[in-house]
Amino acid sequence: MNFYDKVYYLVKKIPRGKVATYGQIAALIGSPRSARMVGWAMHAMDGGRLEEIPWQRVINREGRISTTCVVHPPNQQARLLKKDSVKITKKDNNFFIDLNKYLWQP
DNA sequence: CTTATGACTTTCA
DNA sequence: CTGAAAGCCATAA
């Protein structure tokens, strides 16, 4: 099992209505300092993966969406989260999530 | 093998 | 409190 597969496996385990941070995913994998790789894994997965993996539930430590990818715009992530019954706070063209309420705790 | 880069995090001024 | 800088580790070239 390579790094990506672990990331995808964990991301798929995030229950509906919850979110997780990059650092959290990295820590669960076993490399607490590989948060950037988690983000990279998200970027690397293209095509159908986006539909089967809840990538929108993975956010940065501030509970903010920090995608720079033009094909995965924040508004789409917000839309998917809204489907998950997650409350989104819009602020300065950025979307924030209340981690105290929605953070996933395995 | 060495160098550069990134959907991050933490620390120091 | 705010902002800048370094650290981290897996991939790609």
Side-chain angles (χ1 to χ4, degrees):
Chain A
M1 213 181 209
N2 59 22
F3 193 87
Y4 285 176
D5 289 331
K6 287 180 182 174
V7 173
Y8 302 148
Y9 175 74
L10 285 171
V11 171
K12 276 199 264 187
K13 274 180 57 181
I14 302 174
R16 179 176 172 280
K18 294 286 180 181
V19 297
T21 67
Y22 294 101
Q24 186 177 14
I25 297 295
L28 289 172
I29 288 174
S31 304
R33 293 148 182 60
S34 298
R36 312 180 88 169
M37 311 301 86
V38 178
W40 218 67
M42 298 296 111
H43 190 173
M45 72 173 165
D46 45 0
R49 289 246 205 224
L50 284 175
E51 298 174 6
E52 75 179 82
I53 296 179
W55 59 273
Q56 70 277 14
R57 296 176 191 156
V58 183
I59 53 186
N60 71 0
R61 208 157 176 6
E62 300 174 345
R64 183 171 57 85
I65 292 171
S66 52
T67 176
T68 61
C69 203
V70 292
V71 298
H72 316 137
N75 61 1
Q76 170 154 357
Q77 187 161 8
R79 185 174 62 81
L80 291 168
L81 286 170
K82 193 177 176 184
K83 267 177 62 179
D84 283 352
S85 305
V86 174
K87 188 178 189 303
I88 308 293
T89 304
K90 192 175 189 306
K91 195 178 198 176
D92 256 5
N93 274 351
N94 283 320
F95 294 94
F96 289 83
I97 292 155
D98 185 357
L99 289 180
N100 290 321
K101 185 172 181 182
Y102 294 108
L103 182 62
W104 177 46
Q105 289 162 7

